[in-house]
Amino acid sequence: MSTSSADVRGYDVIIIGGGPAGLSAALILGRCRRRVLVCDSGRYRNHAAHAMHGFLSRDGIAPSELRRIGREQLQPYGVEIREAAVADVRREATRFEVTMEGGERLLCRKLLLATGLVDRLPDLPGLPAMYGKSAHHCPYCDGWEARDKAIGVYGQGCTGLSLALNMKTWSDDVILFTDGPASLSRSDAARLARHGIGVREERIARLEGRDGMLERVVLEDGSFVERRSLFLKTKQEQGADLARKLRCKITEERGVETADKHEETTCEGVFVAGDASKDVLLAIMAAAEGADAAFGVNCALQEEDLA
Ligand SMILES: Cc1cc2nc3c(=O)[nH]c(=O)nc-3n(C[C@H](O)[C@H](O)[C@H](O)COP(=O)(O)OP(=O)(O)OC[C@H]3O[C@@H](n4cnc5c(N)ncnc54)[C@H](O)[C@@H]3O)c2cc1C
């Protein structure tokens, strides 16, 4: 089916993603008098969190409130927002065609992917209800709230080792749960012991607690260890498949790669910001990358318009 002139509209830039990265980019681009559309499917990485920490001037704010303020501040600049998912993207000569989930097709000159990441939790009974309340993946986001408490760390091998050592910054009472063989070298095990970190290799039966607050880690033999919070690494996947469809370079370690400067990907005219390009995965970094990408988008448009 070809695109007819009746069902397409041209934007300077379509931003896919309405988290901190996308909204920050939209603010700068709106102020650059660009015709901007933000598409937001409403699936934010931190949906399980009640409070967002470490964002200058907004420490402890509810993530939804940050987005509300962000959207409100876009209003004077005529930025359009659609609560809708983008199903497909493709390059069409010098422009991009964006297909919405309902089938509508839109055109734009530049694309900004701010589609974030999705976390996959390990299969631990009891964990989903605690994730974002007393079970966390990011010490920089939630370590302060767990300070001086009984902290459990979940993980095997180097992952468990480094996270357990990390958590000593926030509490002296850290136990590493490996849920099976620890897969640690003798020197790594000695390093943990040297820093007072106990290791439990028994299989975990479940996490127990109340109202999402961890009270104990129950092991398969029925014994348990009292803990007040659990830190673990999640497996992360791209929030959308769009960068791959555009043939942008993506790596496991770095996410959608940026080629040069101002967050342009390896695919000309396609920019990326926020968690989708893995750097430091904090909201304030996502917002900063959004602003950087907006700068890159506007410069690229100026180059074309003022050649
Ligand atoms: C439990 C938890 C707690 C956290 N706590 C903190 C904290 O305290 N402090 C902190 O700094 N960071 C915290 N983070 C990290 C923070 O949430 C992320 O760094 C931040 O949200 C990244 O912003 P983003 O804009 O890149 O992605 P997101 O906020 O995840 O936004 C992605 C956007 O892309 C949209 N999207 C995806 N695919 C499509 C599509 N096909 N079509 C349209 N839209 C699409 C989504 O709907 C969403 O709008 C936490 C993360 C988690 C998981």
Side-chain angles (χ1 to χ4, degrees), residues 16-21 39-46 49 51-53 84-86 114-116 119 131 137 141 239-240 242 273-275 281-283 286:
I16 309 177
C39 301
D40 183 348
S41 62
R43 206 206 50 235
Y44 313 101
R45 183 171 172 222
N46 55 3
M52 201 184 72
H53 300 110
V86 170
T115 42
D119 295 280
Y131 187 59
H137 73 280
C141 303
L242 304 174
D275 283 4
L281 301 179
L282 291 176

PDB file of all heavy atoms in Angstrom, residues 16-21 39-46 49 51-53 84-86 114-116 119 131 137 141 239-240 242 273-275 281-283 286, ligand 1:
ATOM      1  N   ILE A  16      10.129   9.418  19.084  1.00  0.00           N
ATOM      2  CA  ILE A  16       9.408   8.223  19.523  1.00  0.00           C
ATOM      3  C   ILE A  16       9.841   7.939  20.957  1.00  0.00           C
ATOM      4  O   ILE A  16      10.985   7.551  21.211  1.00  0.00           O
ATOM      5  CB  ILE A  16       9.677   7.025  18.589  1.00  0.00           C
ATOM      6  CG1 ILE A  16       9.422   7.440  17.130  1.00  0.00           C
ATOM      7  CG2 ILE A  16       8.774   5.840  18.972  1.00  0.00           C
ATOM      8  CD1 ILE A  16       9.725   6.357  16.111  1.00  0.00           C
ATOM      9  N   GLY A  17       8.934   8.188  21.890  1.00  0.00           N
ATOM     10  CA  GLY A  17       9.242   8.020  23.312  1.00  0.00           C
ATOM     11  C   GLY A  17       8.948   9.293  24.076  1.00  0.00           C
ATOM     12  O   GLY A  17       9.397  10.375  23.681  1.00  0.00           O
ATOM     13  N   GLY A  18       8.180   9.153  25.161  1.00  0.00           N
ATOM     14  CA  GLY A  18       7.796  10.319  25.949  1.00  0.00           C
ATOM     15  C   GLY A  18       8.262  10.234  27.387  1.00  0.00           C
ATOM     16  O   GLY A  18       7.618  10.733  28.306  1.00  0.00           O
ATOM     17  N   GLY A  19       9.427   9.604  27.592  1.00  0.00           N
ATOM     18  CA  GLY A  19      10.069   9.612  28.914  1.00  0.00           C
ATOM     19  C   GLY A  19      10.952  10.853  29.033  1.00  0.00           C
ATOM     20  O   GLY A  19      10.826  11.787  28.223  1.00  0.00           O
ATOM     21  N   PRO A  20      11.858  10.886  30.022  1.00  0.00           N
ATOM     22  CA  PRO A  20      12.712  12.070  30.196  1.00  0.00           C
ATOM     23  C   PRO A  20      13.523  12.424  28.944  1.00  0.00           C
ATOM     24  O   PRO A  20      13.689  13.606  28.636  1.00  0.00           O
ATOM     25  CB  PRO A  20      13.665  11.658  31.335  1.00  0.00           C
ATOM     26  CG  PRO A  20      13.004  10.516  32.017  1.00  0.00           C
ATOM     27  CD  PRO A  20      12.066   9.873  31.056  1.00  0.00           C
ATOM     28  N   ALA A  21      13.983  11.421  28.201  1.00  0.00           N
ATOM     29  CA  ALA A  21      14.801  11.706  27.010  1.00  0.00           C
ATOM     30  C   ALA A  21      13.960  12.385  25.931  1.00  0.00           C
ATOM     31  O   ALA A  21      14.336  13.440  25.403  1.00  0.00           O
ATOM     32  CB  ALA A  21      15.405  10.409  26.475  1.00  0.00           C
ATOM     33  N   CYS A  39       5.564  10.670  20.033  1.00  0.00           N
ATOM     34  CA  CYS A  39       4.688   9.494  20.106  1.00  0.00           C
ATOM     35  C   CYS A  39       5.039   8.725  21.368  1.00  0.00           C
ATOM     36  O   CYS A  39       6.205   8.404  21.596  1.00  0.00           O
ATOM     37  CB  CYS A  39       4.912   8.580  18.901  1.00  0.00           C
ATOM     38  SG  CYS A  39       4.599   9.396  17.339  1.00  0.00           S
ATOM     39  N   ASP A  40       4.035   8.446  22.167  1.00  0.00           N
ATOM     40  CA  ASP A  40       4.291   7.839  23.477  1.00  0.00           C
ATOM     41  C   ASP A  40       3.329   6.673  23.696  1.00  0.00           C
ATOM     42  O   ASP A  40       2.120   6.873  23.832  1.00  0.00           O
ATOM     43  CB  ASP A  40       4.103   8.908  24.561  1.00  0.00           C
ATOM     44  CG  ASP A  40       4.423   8.391  25.949  1.00  0.00           C
ATOM     45  OD1 ASP A  40       4.571   7.163  26.119  1.00  0.00           O
ATOM     46  OD2 ASP A  40       4.512   9.220  26.867  1.00  0.00           O
ATOM     47  N   SER A  41       3.883   5.467  23.740  1.00  0.00           N
ATOM     48  CA  SER A  41       3.029   4.284  23.921  1.00  0.00           C
ATOM     49  C   SER A  41       2.689   4.039  25.387  1.00  0.00           C
ATOM     50  O   SER A  41       1.963   3.095  25.719  1.00  0.00           O
ATOM     51  CB  SER A  41       3.729   3.044  23.346  1.00  0.00           C
ATOM     52  OG  SER A  41       4.933   2.816  24.044  1.00  0.00           O
ATOM     53  N   GLY A  42       3.225   4.890  26.290  1.00  0.00           N
ATOM     54  CA  GLY A  42       2.845   4.806  27.702  1.00  0.00           C
ATOM     55  C   GLY A  42       3.486   3.669  28.470  1.00  0.00           C
ATOM     56  O   GLY A  42       2.997   3.280  29.537  1.00  0.00           O
ATOM     57  N   ARG A  43       4.606   3.146  27.965  1.00  0.00           N
ATOM     58  CA  ARG A  43       5.270   2.061  28.688  1.00  0.00           C
ATOM     59  C   ARG A  43       6.665   2.532  29.106  1.00  0.00           C
ATOM     60  O   ARG A  43       7.615   2.481  28.344  1.00  0.00           O
ATOM     61  CB  ARG A  43       5.367   0.815  27.782  1.00  0.00           C
ATOM     62  CG  ARG A  43       5.437  -0.490  28.546  1.00  0.00           C
ATOM     63  CD  ARG A  43       6.138  -1.561  27.734  1.00  0.00           C
ATOM     64  NE  ARG A  43       7.393  -1.081  27.225  1.00  0.00           N
ATOM     65  CZ  ARG A  43       7.740  -1.088  25.938  1.00  0.00           C
ATOM     66  NH1 ARG A  43       6.946  -1.542  25.030  1.00  0.00           N
ATOM     67  NH2 ARG A  43       8.916  -0.616  25.556  1.00  0.00           N
ATOM     68  N   TYR A  44       6.725   3.023  30.351  1.00  0.00           N
ATOM     69  CA  TYR A  44       7.963   3.636  30.826  1.00  0.00           C
ATOM     70  C   TYR A  44       8.779   2.626  31.618  1.00  0.00           C
ATOM     71  O   TYR A  44       8.215   1.819  32.362  1.00  0.00           O
ATOM     72  CB  TYR A  44       7.639   4.852  31.710  1.00  0.00           C
ATOM     73  CG  TYR A  44       6.603   5.743  31.067  1.00  0.00           C
ATOM     74  CD1 TYR A  44       5.279   5.697  31.462  1.00  0.00           C
ATOM     75  CD2 TYR A  44       6.962   6.589  30.022  1.00  0.00           C
ATOM     76  CE1 TYR A  44       4.319   6.488  30.846  1.00  0.00           C
ATOM     77  CE2 TYR A  44       6.014   7.391  29.401  1.00  0.00           C
ATOM     78  CZ  TYR A  44       4.689   7.329  29.815  1.00  0.00           C
ATOM     79  OH  TYR A  44       3.744   8.098  29.203  1.00  0.00           O
ATOM     80  N   ARG A  45      10.093   2.737  31.509  1.00  0.00           N
ATOM     81  CA  ARG A  45      10.945   1.740  32.170  1.00  0.00           C
ATOM     82  C   ARG A  45      10.709   1.727  33.676  1.00  0.00           C
ATOM     83  O   ARG A  45      10.693   0.669  34.304  1.00  0.00           O
ATOM     84  CB  ARG A  45      12.423   2.048  31.862  1.00  0.00           C
ATOM     85  CG  ARG A  45      13.313   1.011  32.459  1.00  0.00           C
ATOM     86  CD  ARG A  45      14.755   1.136  32.028  1.00  0.00           C
ATOM     87  NE  ARG A  45      15.543   0.199  32.806  1.00  0.00           N
ATOM     88  CZ  ARG A  45      16.725   0.468  33.322  1.00  0.00           C
ATOM     89  NH1 ARG A  45      17.285   1.637  33.114  1.00  0.00           N
ATOM     90  NH2 ARG A  45      17.333  -0.429  34.044  1.00  0.00           N
ATOM     91  N   ASN A  46      10.530   2.903  34.268  1.00  0.00           N
ATOM     92  CA  ASN A  46      10.428   2.959  35.736  1.00  0.00           C
ATOM     93  C   ASN A  46       8.980   2.880  36.221  1.00  0.00           C
ATOM     94  O   ASN A  46       8.649   3.414  37.271  1.00  0.00           O
ATOM     95  CB  ASN A  46      11.112   4.221  36.271  1.00  0.00           C
ATOM     96  CG  ASN A  46      10.563   5.484  35.635  1.00  0.00           C
ATOM     97  OD1 ASN A  46       9.634   5.437  34.845  1.00  0.00           O
ATOM     98  ND2 ASN A  46      11.147   6.618  35.989  1.00  0.00           N
ATOM     99  N   ALA A  49       8.361   2.127  39.868  1.00  0.00           N
ATOM    100  CA  ALA A  49       8.928   2.988  40.920  1.00  0.00           C
ATOM    101  C   ALA A  49       7.932   4.058  41.346  1.00  0.00           C
ATOM    102  O   ALA A  49       7.204   4.605  40.522  1.00  0.00           O
ATOM    103  CB  ALA A  49      10.203   3.644  40.400  1.00  0.00           C
ATOM    104  N   ALA A  51       9.032   6.680  43.325  1.00  0.00           N
ATOM    105  CA  ALA A  51       9.792   7.919  43.463  1.00  0.00           C
ATOM    106  C   ALA A  51      11.058   7.822  42.625  1.00  0.00           C
ATOM    107  O   ALA A  51      11.633   6.751  42.482  1.00  0.00           O
ATOM    108  CB  ALA A  51      10.157   8.146  44.929  1.00  0.00           C
ATOM    109  N   MET A  52      11.450   8.962  42.087  1.00  0.00           N
ATOM    110  CA  MET A  52      12.663   8.995  41.279  1.00  0.00           C
ATOM    111  C   MET A  52      13.709   9.829  42.015  1.00  0.00           C
ATOM    112  O   MET A  52      13.426  10.975  42.391  1.00  0.00           O
ATOM    113  CB  MET A  52      12.330   9.657  39.940  1.00  0.00           C
ATOM    114  CG  MET A  52      13.280   9.337  38.855  1.00  0.00           C
ATOM    115  SD  MET A  52      12.816  10.269  37.398  1.00  0.00           S
ATOM    116  CE  MET A  52      13.309  11.884  37.924  1.00  0.00           C
ATOM    117  N   HIS A  53      14.849   9.232  42.217  1.00  0.00           N
ATOM    118  CA  HIS A  53      15.876   9.926  43.001  1.00  0.00           C
ATOM    119  C   HIS A  53      17.034  10.397  42.127  1.00  0.00           C
ATOM    120  O   HIS A  53      17.307   9.810  41.078  1.00  0.00           O
ATOM    121  CB  HIS A  53      16.405   8.993  44.106  1.00  0.00           C
ATOM    122  CG  HIS A  53      15.333   8.547  45.042  1.00  0.00           C
ATOM    123  ND1 HIS A  53      14.858   7.252  45.078  1.00  0.00           N
ATOM    124  CD2 HIS A  53      14.597   9.244  45.945  1.00  0.00           C
ATOM    125  CE1 HIS A  53      13.901   7.164  45.983  1.00  0.00           C
ATOM    126  NE2 HIS A  53      13.715   8.348  46.522  1.00  0.00           N
ATOM    127  N   ALA A  84       0.251   6.980  21.544  1.00  0.00           N
ATOM    128  CA  ALA A  84       0.110   5.888  20.577  1.00  0.00           C
ATOM    129  C   ALA A  84       1.469   5.267  20.304  1.00  0.00           C
ATOM    130  O   ALA A  84       2.509   5.937  20.425  1.00  0.00           O
ATOM    131  CB  ALA A  84      -0.485   6.425  19.286  1.00  0.00           C
ATOM    132  N   ALA A  85       1.436   3.999  19.933  1.00  0.00           N
ATOM    133  CA  ALA A  85       2.682   3.289  19.636  1.00  0.00           C
ATOM    134  C   ALA A  85       3.010   3.394  18.150  1.00  0.00           C
ATOM    135  O   ALA A  85       2.112   3.395  17.305  1.00  0.00           O
ATOM    136  CB  ALA A  85       2.542   1.821  20.026  1.00  0.00           C
ATOM    137  N   VAL A  86       4.284   3.493  17.883  1.00  0.00           N
ATOM    138  CA  VAL A  86       4.766   3.437  16.505  1.00  0.00           C
ATOM    139  C   VAL A  86       5.012   1.975  16.169  1.00  0.00           C
ATOM    140  O   VAL A  86       5.715   1.271  16.901  1.00  0.00           O
ATOM    141  CB  VAL A  86       6.060   4.265  16.357  1.00  0.00           C
ATOM    142  CG1 VAL A  86       6.716   4.022  15.008  1.00  0.00           C
ATOM    143  CG2 VAL A  86       5.763   5.746  16.575  1.00  0.00           C
ATOM    144  N   ALA A 114      13.728   7.572  21.351  1.00  0.00           N
ATOM    145  CA  ALA A 114      13.893   7.721  22.809  1.00  0.00           C
ATOM    146  C   ALA A 114      13.048   6.634  23.460  1.00  0.00           C
ATOM    147  O   ALA A 114      12.245   6.888  24.360  1.00  0.00           O
ATOM    148  CB  ALA A 114      13.465   9.121  23.246  1.00  0.00           C
ATOM    149  N   THR A 115      13.204   5.429  22.959  1.00  0.00           N
ATOM    150  CA  THR A 115      12.297   4.322  23.270  1.00  0.00           C
ATOM    151  C   THR A 115      12.726   3.492  24.481  1.00  0.00           C
ATOM    152  O   THR A 115      12.035   2.526  24.829  1.00  0.00           O
ATOM    153  CB  THR A 115      12.146   3.412  22.037  1.00  0.00           C
ATOM    154  OG1 THR A 115      13.427   3.250  21.441  1.00  0.00           O
ATOM    155  CG2 THR A 115      11.232   4.031  20.998  1.00  0.00           C
ATOM    156  N   GLY A 116      13.837   3.851  25.101  1.00  0.00           N
ATOM    157  CA  GLY A 116      14.201   3.242  26.380  1.00  0.00           C
ATOM    158  C   GLY A 116      14.528   1.755  26.328  1.00  0.00           C
ATOM    159  O   GLY A 116      14.763   1.169  25.264  1.00  0.00           O
ATOM    160  N   ASP A 119      13.237  -4.068  31.313  1.00  0.00           N
ATOM    161  CA  ASP A 119      13.985  -4.954  32.215  1.00  0.00           C
ATOM    162  C   ASP A 119      13.311  -6.311  32.300  1.00  0.00           C
ATOM    163  O   ASP A 119      12.091  -6.390  32.429  1.00  0.00           O
ATOM    164  CB  ASP A 119      14.029  -4.348  33.625  1.00  0.00           C
ATOM    165  CG  ASP A 119      14.806  -3.057  33.651  1.00  0.00           C
ATOM    166  OD1 ASP A 119      16.038  -3.117  33.678  1.00  0.00           O
ATOM    167  OD2 ASP A 119      14.174  -1.981  33.626  1.00  0.00           O
ATOM    168  N   TYR A 131       9.604  -5.498  43.335  1.00  0.00           N
ATOM    169  CA  TYR A 131      10.464  -4.713  42.446  1.00  0.00           C
ATOM    170  C   TYR A 131       9.990  -3.256  42.428  1.00  0.00           C
ATOM    171  O   TYR A 131       8.816  -2.970  42.210  1.00  0.00           O
ATOM    172  CB  TYR A 131      10.444  -5.310  41.035  1.00  0.00           C
ATOM    173  CG  TYR A 131      11.437  -4.644  40.113  1.00  0.00           C
ATOM    174  CD1 TYR A 131      12.806  -4.637  40.411  1.00  0.00           C
ATOM    175  CD2 TYR A 131      11.019  -3.994  38.963  1.00  0.00           C
ATOM    176  CE1 TYR A 131      13.711  -4.020  39.579  1.00  0.00           C
ATOM    177  CE2 TYR A 131      11.933  -3.373  38.112  1.00  0.00           C
ATOM    178  CZ  TYR A 131      13.272  -3.390  38.432  1.00  0.00           C
ATOM    179  OH  TYR A 131      14.185  -2.776  37.605  1.00  0.00           O
ATOM    180  N   HIS A 137      17.366  -2.505  41.071  1.00  0.00           N
ATOM    181  CA  HIS A 137      18.529  -2.864  40.254  1.00  0.00           C
ATOM    182  C   HIS A 137      19.623  -1.812  40.320  1.00  0.00           C
ATOM    183  O   HIS A 137      20.748  -2.067  39.909  1.00  0.00           O
ATOM    184  CB  HIS A 137      18.105  -3.074  38.782  1.00  0.00           C
ATOM    185  CG  HIS A 137      17.783  -1.783  38.112  1.00  0.00           C
ATOM    186  ND1 HIS A 137      16.573  -1.139  38.277  1.00  0.00           N
ATOM    187  CD2 HIS A 137      18.537  -0.989  37.322  1.00  0.00           C
ATOM    188  CE1 HIS A 137      16.600  -0.007  37.591  1.00  0.00           C
ATOM    189  NE2 HIS A 137      17.769   0.110  37.010  1.00  0.00           N
ATOM    190  N   CYS A 141      20.024   4.829  42.338  1.00  0.00           N
ATOM    191  CA  CYS A 141      18.626   5.266  42.425  1.00  0.00           C
ATOM    192  C   CYS A 141      18.048   5.000  43.817  1.00  0.00           C
ATOM    193  O   CYS A 141      17.270   5.800  44.333  1.00  0.00           O
ATOM    194  CB  CYS A 141      17.772   4.527  41.399  1.00  0.00           C
ATOM    195  SG  CYS A 141      18.345   4.713  39.709  1.00  0.00           S
ATOM    196  N   GLY A 239      13.528  -1.160  24.185  1.00  0.00           N
ATOM    197  CA  GLY A 239      12.105  -0.921  24.368  1.00  0.00           C
ATOM    198  C   GLY A 239      11.314  -1.036  23.071  1.00  0.00           C
ATOM    199  O   GLY A 239      10.099  -1.206  23.101  1.00  0.00           O
ATOM    200  N   ALA A 240      11.994  -0.930  21.950  1.00  0.00           N
ATOM    201  CA  ALA A 240      11.327  -1.053  20.644  1.00  0.00           C
ATOM    202  C   ALA A 240      12.314  -1.636  19.648  1.00  0.00           C
ATOM    203  O   ALA A 240      13.525  -1.561  19.836  1.00  0.00           O
ATOM    204  CB  ALA A 240      10.837   0.309  20.179  1.00  0.00           C
ATOM    205  N   LEU A 242      12.663  -0.612  16.623  1.00  0.00           N
ATOM    206  CA  LEU A 242      12.708   0.329  15.506  1.00  0.00           C
ATOM    207  C   LEU A 242      14.135   0.603  15.025  1.00  0.00           C
ATOM    208  O   LEU A 242      14.365   0.743  13.815  1.00  0.00           O
ATOM    209  CB  LEU A 242      12.012   1.627  15.911  1.00  0.00           C
ATOM    210  CG  LEU A 242      10.562   1.422  16.404  1.00  0.00           C
ATOM    211  CD1 LEU A 242       9.976   2.717  16.929  1.00  0.00           C
ATOM    212  CD2 LEU A 242       9.698   0.872  15.277  1.00  0.00           C
ATOM    213  N   ALA A 273      18.422   8.859  22.105  1.00  0.00           N
ATOM    214  CA  ALA A 273      18.703   9.471  23.407  1.00  0.00           C
ATOM    215  C   ALA A 273      18.101   8.627  24.513  1.00  0.00           C
ATOM    216  O   ALA A 273      17.106   7.931  24.295  1.00  0.00           O
ATOM    217  CB  ALA A 273      18.128  10.888  23.458  1.00  0.00           C
ATOM    218  N   GLY A 274      18.713   8.710  25.679  1.00  0.00           N
ATOM    219  CA  GLY A 274      18.188   8.011  26.845  1.00  0.00           C
ATOM    220  C   GLY A 274      18.711   6.590  26.955  1.00  0.00           C
ATOM    221  O   GLY A 274      19.740   6.234  26.383  1.00  0.00           O
ATOM    222  N   ASP A 275      17.965   5.779  27.675  1.00  0.00           N
ATOM    223  CA  ASP A 275      18.423   4.419  27.993  1.00  0.00           C
ATOM    224  C   ASP A 275      18.662   3.563  26.748  1.00  0.00           C
ATOM    225  O   ASP A 275      19.439   2.606  26.797  1.00  0.00           O
ATOM    226  CB  ASP A 275      17.385   3.708  28.877  1.00  0.00           C
ATOM    227  CG  ASP A 275      17.443   4.165  30.328  1.00  0.00           C
ATOM    228  OD1 ASP A 275      18.242   5.081  30.636  1.00  0.00           O
ATOM    229  OD2 ASP A 275      16.703   3.606  31.150  1.00  0.00           O
ATOM    230  N   LEU A 281      22.548   4.811  33.150  1.00  0.00           N
ATOM    231  CA  LEU A 281      21.100   4.688  32.972  1.00  0.00           C
ATOM    232  C   LEU A 281      20.338   5.404  34.089  1.00  0.00           C
ATOM    233  O   LEU A 281      19.705   4.784  34.930  1.00  0.00           O
ATOM    234  CB  LEU A 281      20.714   3.213  32.885  1.00  0.00           C
ATOM    235  CG  LEU A 281      21.381   2.444  31.735  1.00  0.00           C
ATOM    236  CD1 LEU A 281      20.960   0.977  31.745  1.00  0.00           C
ATOM    237  CD2 LEU A 281      21.075   3.074  30.395  1.00  0.00           C
ATOM    238  N   LEU A 282      20.436   6.714  34.077  1.00  0.00           N
ATOM    239  CA  LEU A 282      19.711   7.551  35.029  1.00  0.00           C
ATOM    240  C   LEU A 282      18.838   8.521  34.258  1.00  0.00           C
ATOM    241  O   LEU A 282      19.186   8.928  33.137  1.00  0.00           O
ATOM    242  CB  LEU A 282      20.689   8.355  35.894  1.00  0.00           C
ATOM    243  CG  LEU A 282      21.529   7.591  36.906  1.00  0.00           C
ATOM    244  CD1 LEU A 282      22.506   8.533  37.612  1.00  0.00           C
ATOM    245  CD2 LEU A 282      20.641   6.902  37.941  1.00  0.00           C
ATOM    246  N   ALA A 283      17.726   8.918  34.886  1.00  0.00           N
ATOM    247  CA  ALA A 283      16.779   9.796  34.199  1.00  0.00           C
ATOM    248  C   ALA A 283      17.416  11.128  33.804  1.00  0.00           C
ATOM    249  O   ALA A 283      17.139  11.664  32.730  1.00  0.00           O
ATOM    250  CB  ALA A 283      15.562  10.024  35.086  1.00  0.00           C
ATOM    251  N   ALA A 286      19.294  10.670  30.733  1.00  0.00           N
ATOM    252  CA  ALA A 286      18.383  10.541  29.587  1.00  0.00           C
ATOM    253  C   ALA A 286      17.936  11.928  29.124  1.00  0.00           C
ATOM    254  O   ALA A 286      17.910  12.225  27.927  1.00  0.00           O
ATOM    255  CB  ALA A 286      17.181   9.686  29.965  1.00  0.00           C
TER     256      ALA A 286
HETATM  257  C1  LIG B   1      12.356   0.406  38.899  1.00  0.00           C
HETATM  258  C2  LIG B   1      13.193   1.537  38.363  1.00  0.00           C
HETATM  259  C3  LIG B   1      13.528   2.606  39.168  1.00  0.00           C
HETATM  260  C4  LIG B   1      14.310   3.638  38.677  1.00  0.00           C
HETATM  261  N1  LIG B   1      14.628   4.655  39.529  1.00  0.00           N
HETATM  262  C5  LIG B   1      15.367   5.672  39.063  1.00  0.00           C
HETATM  263  C6  LIG B   1      15.709   6.747  39.931  1.00  0.00           C
HETATM  264  O1  LIG B   1      15.360   6.752  41.108  1.00  0.00           O
HETATM  265  N2  LIG B   1      16.484   7.753  39.417  1.00  0.00           N
HETATM  266  C7  LIG B   1      16.904   7.763  38.114  1.00  0.00           C
HETATM  267  O2  LIG B   1      17.588   8.711  37.713  1.00  0.00           O
HETATM  268  N3  LIG B   1      16.594   6.753  37.286  1.00  0.00           N
HETATM  269  C8  LIG B   1      15.838   5.718  37.718  1.00  0.00           C
HETATM  270  N4  LIG B   1      15.541   4.680  36.886  1.00  0.00           N
HETATM  271  C9  LIG B   1      16.031   4.737  35.499  1.00  0.00           C
HETATM  272  C10 LIG B   1      15.118   5.658  34.669  1.00  0.00           C
HETATM  273  O3  LIG B   1      13.799   5.191  34.760  1.00  0.00           O
HETATM  274  C11 LIG B   1      15.568   5.664  33.216  1.00  0.00           C
HETATM  275  O4  LIG B   1      16.943   6.014  33.145  1.00  0.00           O
HETATM  276  C12 LIG B   1      14.754   6.665  32.403  1.00  0.00           C
HETATM  277  O5  LIG B   1      13.388   6.395  32.491  1.00  0.00           O
HETATM  278  C13 LIG B   1      15.198   6.630  30.947  1.00  0.00           C
HETATM  279  O6  LIG B   1      14.416   7.530  30.227  1.00  0.00           O
HETATM  280  P1  LIG B   1      14.074   7.257  28.696  1.00  0.00           P
HETATM  281  O7  LIG B   1      13.324   8.476  28.269  1.00  0.00           O
HETATM  282  O8  LIG B   1      15.283   6.862  27.956  1.00  0.00           O
HETATM  283  O9  LIG B   1      13.130   5.945  28.704  1.00  0.00           O
HETATM  284  P2  LIG B   1      11.698   5.688  29.346  1.00  0.00           P
HETATM  285  O10 LIG B   1      11.439   6.591  30.477  1.00  0.00           O
HETATM  286  O11 LIG B   1      11.641   4.229  29.601  1.00  0.00           O
HETATM  287  O12 LIG B   1      10.694   6.057  28.178  1.00  0.00           O
HETATM  288  C14 LIG B   1      10.601   5.277  27.004  1.00  0.00           C
HETATM  289  C15 LIG B   1       9.483   5.845  26.176  1.00  0.00           C
HETATM  290  O13 LIG B   1       9.461   5.205  24.886  1.00  0.00           O
HETATM  291  C16 LIG B   1       8.116   4.882  24.593  1.00  0.00           C
HETATM  292  N5  LIG B   1       8.092   3.859  23.543  1.00  0.00           N
HETATM  293  C17 LIG B   1       8.784   2.681  23.473  1.00  0.00           C
HETATM  294  N6  LIG B   1       8.496   2.058  22.321  1.00  0.00           N
HETATM  295  C18 LIG B   1       7.611   2.840  21.670  1.00  0.00           C
HETATM  296  C19 LIG B   1       6.919   2.736  20.421  1.00  0.00           C
HETATM  297  N7  LIG B   1       7.084   1.685  19.614  1.00  0.00           N
HETATM  298  N8  LIG B   1       6.068   3.723  20.065  1.00  0.00           N
HETATM  299  C20 LIG B   1       5.873   4.812  20.862  1.00  0.00           C
HETATM  300  N9  LIG B   1       6.500   4.960  22.052  1.00  0.00           N
HETATM  301  C21 LIG B   1       7.349   3.994  22.440  1.00  0.00           C
HETATM  302  C22 LIG B   1       7.516   4.485  25.928  1.00  0.00           C
HETATM  303  O14 LIG B   1       6.128   4.451  25.913  1.00  0.00           O
HETATM  304  C23 LIG B   1       8.099   5.621  26.766  1.00  0.00           C
HETATM  305  O15 LIG B   1       7.332   6.800  26.562  1.00  0.00           O
HETATM  306  C24 LIG B   1      14.771   3.628  37.344  1.00  0.00           C
HETATM  307  C25 LIG B   1      14.442   2.543  36.519  1.00  0.00           C
HETATM  308  C26 LIG B   1      13.666   1.496  37.012  1.00  0.00           C
HETATM  309  C27 LIG B   1      13.354   0.334  36.123  1.00  0.00           C
END
